[in-house]
Amino acid sequence: DVERSRGLGDVYKRQEYASAPFTIYYLLFALSLIPAGHLSQRVGAKPLMFAGLALSGLGLYLLATAPDFALICLARALSGIGQGILFIGVQSYILDVASPERKTRGAAIIVYGFQGGMITGMAIGSLLVTHIGQESLFNVAACVAFVMAAYTLIVVPGKRMSATAVQEPPPSFRLMARDLSAVFRDLEFMRTMLLVGVPTKVDLTGVVICALPLLLSSGGFRQEDIGQVLMIYAACVLISSGYISGFVDRTKRTDDVLLIGSFLSAIALIAIGVFGPSGAALSSGGNAQMAIIAIILAVALLGLAHGLVNAPVVTHVASTFTARKNGAAPVTATYRFLERIGHVAGPVVVGQLMATGIATGKSIAWIGVAILIMAALFALKPRQKFHESEVSGS
């Protein structure tokens, strides 16, 4: 028992350290957004797309040759910066070439591109890793990134200024501070961000990307099977996002949709924790098959729940008092920046729970309980009084 406890302690210590690369990636991803946005106004989208792909490819190449933990962290740092720059570059290009009546559809391409990339990437990666090994897989991914960087230089047009670009002030830290000051005084904005937006991103990075692969691996799932399970999550996000977007546009009932999404997220996380390898159900051999099915269904439910949040939360934020007064664009951009807090905090929260000696499945279940409490607080719906005269500035 002493040796077994010591071994478990080493496992949790390694899991705590394992959260560091995830945290570094999302932290530098978030910090690169504002400088990249400012740079896009000066040099255009094409250089950002090229630099983002090149840095991402370099990070993947370092992962293929990483001999120690410090180099792995450096690789994820480069990839985080690269992905942040690439995100702004693609977003700037789409918004620049899209017509005014298709701006929303243009922005939706990024969402579908991200989830579609998760599905195909997990499918290809989980299948190839068993045949060529993880080092060769990272090398292949790096080559793809470098080829795409070259493709960007050849195919993507150069800097293009839209007709409205000269009328809009370039993004800066001063303007961002002004927008932050405005949204921090908006109760509805803060309520939505803290009780729905940030917790959802904690679920994504802390549970789906960081803890769930560890949970499934410890339960005996093969690498290709883990990739298939994560594909189910991404596919369910796409399915629910497609259906719920039209419903929200017709009914404007964003509060109800976000509340349902939060409750379903909590139920899914609690189910994953209960039926995980550390749970009683999977520990007993007779119920192992049913427990595995339950985990897969819970992951699918989590994807459906996040699909109820990802798009409607932006619509909800865009309808707050501050958005109506100062404009939806700066407020939604500020929200996108602030929700990265959840991206960064997710692996840290899960890593600390593991470090305290709480089993991985129980860690996820406790996160589900916290999400449930936040959903209950969100259901209280404290309202701010809204006056049209304040919006018009009179």
Side-chain angles (χ1 to χ4, degrees):
D1 290 340
V2 173
E3 291 298 325
R4 181 175 181 273
S5 298
R6 185 179 303 166
L8 287 175
D10 293 339
V11 169
Y12 291 127
K13 185 176 181 181
R14 289 195 299 270
Q15 289 175 337
E16 178 189 7
Y17 291 150
S19 67
F22 294 96
T23 303
I24 291 171
Y25 172 87
Y26 283 105
L27 177 61
L28 291 177
F29 181 97
L31 292 177
S32 66
L33 293 178
I34 296 178
H38 183 70
L39 192 60
S40 69
Q41 296 291 328
R42 295 176 176 271
V43 301
K46 181 175 180 177
L48 294 182
M49 296 168 67
F50 171 78
L53 287 167
L55 287 174
S56 298
L58 180 59
L60 290 168
Y61 173 75
L62 289 179
L63 283 179
T65 59
D68 55 32
F69 186 74
L71 195 55
I72 292 176
C73 291
L74 174 61
R76 298 312 293 156
L78 291 174
S79 293
I81 296 172
Q83 289 293 325
I85 295 174
L86 178 62
F87 176 84
I88 294 298
V90 172
Q91 177 176 267
S92 300
Y93 178 77
I94 290 176
L95 295 179
D96 189 38
V97 300
S99 60
E101 63 274 11
R102 293 181 177 268
K103 294 292 185 184
T104 302
R105 295 182 184 179
I109 293 176
I110 301 175
V111 178
Y112 280 92
F114 177 78
Q115 297 298 337
M118 283 188 64
I119 295 173
T120 56
M122 290 172 183
I124 295 172
S126 60
L127 293 175
L128 284 182
V129 70
T130 59
H131 298 287
I132 64 176
Q134 61 184 21
E135 292 84 3
S136 298
L137 179 61
F138 286 134
N139 279 323
V140 170
C143 289
V144 171
F146 290 140
V147 169
M148 289 304 301
Y151 175 86
T152 299
L153 284 179
I154 298 171
V155 176
V156 176
K159 184 177 180 181
R160 166 179 166 170
M161 297 299 295
S162 62
T164 59
V166 295
Q167 302 174 1
E168 300 175 357
S172 64
F173 287 101
R174 180 181 61 82
L175 292 177
M176 187 58 135
R178 184 201 65 183
D179 294 335
L180 288 173
S181 176
V183 299
F184 284 160
R185 295 194 299 268
D186 190 322
L187 180 60
E188 185 65 20
F189 180 97
M190 296 302 296
R191 162 179 170 262
T192 305
M193 184 191 71
L194 295 177
L195 299 180
V196 178
V198 170
T200 299
K201 298 307 177 184
V202 169
D203 292 349
L204 173 62
T205 61
V207 176
V208 177
I209 296 179
C210 181
L212 187 58
L214 294 175
L215 175 69
L216 297 177
S217 179
S218 63
F221 280 69
R222 294 175 299 179
Q223 290 179 317
E224 58 269 29
D225 294 333
I226 295 174
Q228 301 294 326
V229 172
L230 297 181
M231 280 176 57
I232 293 174
Y233 165 84
C236 288
V237 171
L238 280 179
I239 292 171
S240 60
S241 294
Y243 282 103
I244 204 62
S245 297
F247 174 80
V248 169
D249 285 338
R250 291 192 305 269
T251 64
K252 311 299 182 185
R253 296 170 58 182
T254 53
D255 268 80
D256 295 335
V257 172
L258 294 178
L259 181 61
I260 294 172
S262 296
F263 273 120
L264 291 180
S265 295
I267 294 172
L269 292 172
I270 293 172
I272 292 173
V274 170
F275 292 103
S278 59
L282 197 54
S283 299
S284 55
N287 296 327
Q289 192 69 26
M290 292 298 298
I292 291 173
I293 295 174
I295 292 174
I296 295 174
L297 292 177
V299 171
L301 179 61
L302 185 63
L304 293 173
H306 285 181
L308 297 180
V309 174
N310 289 344
V313 73
V314 178
T315 303
H316 187 77
V317 166
S319 66
T320 58
F321 171 77
T322 303
R324 299 191 187 197
K325 185 177 181 180
N326 297 343
V331 172
T332 54
T334 304
Y335 171 79
R336 286 300 192 188
F337 174 75
L338 290 174
E339 74 173 355
R340 305 298 170 183
I341 296 173
H343 278 148
V344 176
V348 176
V349 171
V350 173
Q352 290 304 312
L353 286 174
M354 294 175 180
T356 60
I358 301 176
T360 307
K362 292 182 179 178
S363 302
I364 296 177
W366 279 113
I367 293 174
V369 172
I371 299 295
L372 187 63
I373 295 173
M374 292 179 184
L377 293 175
F378 184 77
L380 297 179
K381 298 183 179 180
R383 298 291 185 180
Q384 284 182 289
K385 292 184 178 180
F386 173 73
H387 301 284
E388 293 294 338
S389 59
E390 294 179 351
V391 177
S392 62
S394 57

